[in-house]
Amino acid sequence: MLSTTPNIMQPAEEANNRAGTFAASTSTGQTASQTTTPANVQIQPRNRSHDIAEALRGEWLADDAFLTAAFNGMSITFPAGEKFFIDAVRHYRDEITDPELQEHIRGFCGQEGFHRREHQRYNETLCEARGYDLQKLEGKLTKRLDWARKNLPPIQNLAITVAIEHFTAVLAELLLSSDSIMNKAEPSMRELWRWHAAEEMEHKSVAFDVFRAVGGSEELRIAVMRRATFFIGLELVRALFYILRKDGQLLNFQLWRKGLAGLFGKQGAFSGGLALYKEFYAEGFHPWQQDTQQLLVDWAGDAGVAVS
């Protein structure tokens, strides 16, 4: 049944209470809750399919070639990334003692699995329709993540997951807002991106909670975010340049000016995102300190699905 009322306890307050309980009982050796996800948020894998082939043939976002290319390029990074996240979290599953967090891990992996499948279809359909080489678009990222999986300690791979999950949580908040750029998208694409955003919001603290439960430090969390920011930016810029070059728009400077304003201007797609991103660097940060339950309720009403 669709819940139309968010939890009466503010998510930030509830998550702080959970975090405090976790810290206190861990220090005394007691079994404790290891999750900061608000009790009213259910992490539900939704097996959804999206008919987007026709939309991907054109400029599906605001009829704008730059904005469409930017989000298409973002989609390119998702399948390899989501497999990496699932593997990083699953590695520590047997070390989690809290049944609730164990259940959240299952929900996280299920959601990310469906996201991976849908964006793989998205990417293959996009490349077939527009003549892009998917291997060239995703090959370097796939190799980088494979290297990390084989050569970095598991706790560092989990820290990478925590960092990138924060990026997706920020993006989710922007895409589910009432003035989201997705309101200008072709309907089937709006549905796909908002579904993905909602589920990212539901599970935004799972990797974080696992990281903290297995002893991940604040220093590692913050240091990895700095490096992850660079590499995320690199991959997104690389994909954007490739797509614009293939579309014959790479040197269209008017398109760049309009497109960058559409992403980062005062009314841009990512307006307000920097402040949310920077919160990650604060000592004691946790993902649910931002109250985003109402956005989930609003999305559920729009999409006609249950959130609890």
Side-chain angles (χ1 to χ4, degrees), residues 164-212:
I164 301 178
E165 283 291 299
H166 181 62
F167 275 99
T168 59
V170 170
L171 180 65
E173 189 164 345
L174 299 176
L175 296 188
L176 293 176
S177 66
S178 60
D179 58 352
S180 167
I181 187 69
M182 283 299 145
N183 292 335
K184 300 178 181 179
E186 191 278 338
S188 66
M189 298 300 292
R190 178 180 184 272
E191 179 184 347
L192 181 151
W193 280 93
R194 282 170 56 84
W195 158 75
H196 190 164
E199 294 196 345
E200 290 294 333
M201 186 174 287
E202 287 177 343
H203 71 231
K204 67 180 178 177
S205 71
V206 175
F208 174 91
D209 291 339
V210 173
F211 178 76
R212 185 169 59 183

Side-chain angles (χ1 to χ4, degrees), residues 196-240:
H196 190 164
E199 294 196 345
E200 290 294 333
M201 186 174 287
E202 287 177 343
H203 71 231
K204 67 180 178 177
S205 71
V206 175
F208 174 91
D209 291 339
V210 173
F211 178 76
R212 185 169 59 183
V214 299
S217 69
E218 292 282 89
E219 292 78 10
L220 179 61
R221 175 177 69 81
I222 291 170
V224 168
M225 173 57 97
R226 293 194 176 100
R227 294 196 293 273
T229 299
F230 170 79
F231 285 110
I232 290 169
L234 179 65
E235 292 300 332
L236 294 178
V237 169
R238 178 183 288 126
L240 178 62

Side-chain angles (χ1 to χ4, degrees), residues 255-271:
L255 181 75
W256 275 88
R257 280 196 302 272
K258 180 184 175 185
L260 289 173
L263 289 179
F264 302 109
K266 289 184 178 180
Q267 304 299 321
F270 300 149
S271 177

Side-chain angles (χ1 to χ4, degrees), residues 3 26 43-44 58 61 67 82 90 102 106 130-131 159 167 171 180 186 192 211-212 226 233-234 266 277 281-282:
S3 171
T26 300
I43 302 173
Q44 303 180 49
L61 184 53
L67 296 177
E82 283 152 348
R90 275 182 174 165
Q102 284 274 9
R106 284 189 285 272
R130 305 190 66 151
F167 275 99
L171 180 65
S180 167
E186 191 278 338
L192 181 151
F211 178 76
R212 185 169 59 183
R226 293 194 176 100
L234 179 65
K266 289 184 178 180
Y277 159 79
Y281 292 97

